[in-house]
Amino acid sequence: MRRVLALLALLPLALAAATARAETLIAAMSSHRIQITSNYTGSQLTVFGLVERDGRTVARGDPYDIVITVRGPRRMLLVRQKERVGPIWINRTQRRFPDNPVFLHVASSRPIAAMMSEETAQRDRIGLANAERTAGNWMDLDPASARFRESLVRIMQSKDLYGYDERGVTFLSNALFSAPVDIPATAPTGSYTVDILLYSGGVPLARQQTNFEVIKTGIEQRLASGAYDWSLLYGLMTVLMALVLGWGASVVFRRD
């Protein structure tokens, strides 16, 4: 009798595990490389995806939800807080965010708050506020860090490097979806990762990851490579060019 009860108790877990494997994600991008040239003003990529469902499983009562998170190259970012001392403003406190993405874009098929609870969003690192959340809830453990991180997100949003589009993912059919991703001209070069998560009823079902890169081409790439590989020669040539241009300007605009 006890064995029967134990098996009955494990049955819901087995069904849940089987259901979690019922869907898979297939993702692709319109391009995996963005080339920066002299007239580069930004670009747009499109993420395509397909939800494959096992035909032997029962259809879900809740609709599918998609959340796409694009993370750019990681750098150490610094946020300073200004305070007024008398008639002037000075930097009093600061907070460093090591290994933080310079570019962060989140797109979803509908508002995240309508998809899942706040606890689920924090646990799964969904949304701008949670995408780079470390282990533990930094919002509750360190209010000062939360304030600085909110300031970081606000500053990067003003530079068009962070953004959230609550309806940026469009379902073209019940299983096919697409999402445009705008890459501004200020986006840094490097490797970018794209995380696609599938939800239904606030429960994660599947995840897929792809990537693309932003690179310089043409004379811009040659100058950047020369400045890095031949730094001393590049510096001397820059100084020499400045002297020549300065002398030329003095000759042209000289008053006799």
Side-chain angles (χ1 to χ4, degrees), residues 62-100:
D62 295 315
Y64 288 136
D65 293 316
I66 296 290
V67 180
I68 297 177
T69 304
V70 183
R71 294 179 174 88
R74 293 183 174 273
R75 305 283 191 273
M76 195 282 293
L77 300 181
L78 179 64
V79 177
R80 294 187 177 96
Q81 181 180 10
K82 292 181 178 294
E83 294 183 9
R84 186 169 184 173
V85 178
I88 61 174
W89 290 84
I90 61 174
N91 295 323
R92 294 294 298 271
T93 57
Q94 64 182 26
R95 187 62 56 94
R96 297 177 183 271
F97 295 92
D99 197 33
N100 204 85

Side-chain angles (χ1 to χ4, degrees), residues 19-89:
T19 304
R21 293 190 296 269
E23 288 87 358
T24 56
L25 269 176
I26 300 175
M29 302 197 66
S30 58
S31 176
H32 287 274
R33 176 172 293 183
I34 295 178
Q35 297 181 348
I36 297 178
T37 58
S38 58
N39 58 349
Y40 178 77
T41 58
S43 184
Q44 185 183 82
L45 300 175
T46 303
V47 181
F48 297 96
L50 176 67
V51 180
E52 281 195 341
R53 188 175 64 85
D54 189 348
R56 295 172 297 179
T57 59
V58 179
R60 297 182 182 275
D62 295 315
Y64 288 136
D65 293 316
I66 296 290
V67 180
I68 297 177
T69 304
V70 183
R71 294 179 174 88
R74 293 183 174 273
R75 305 283 191 273
M76 195 282 293
L77 300 181
L78 179 64
V79 177
R80 294 187 177 96
Q81 181 180 10
K82 292 181 178 294
E83 294 183 9
R84 186 169 184 173
V85 178
I88 61 174
W89 290 84

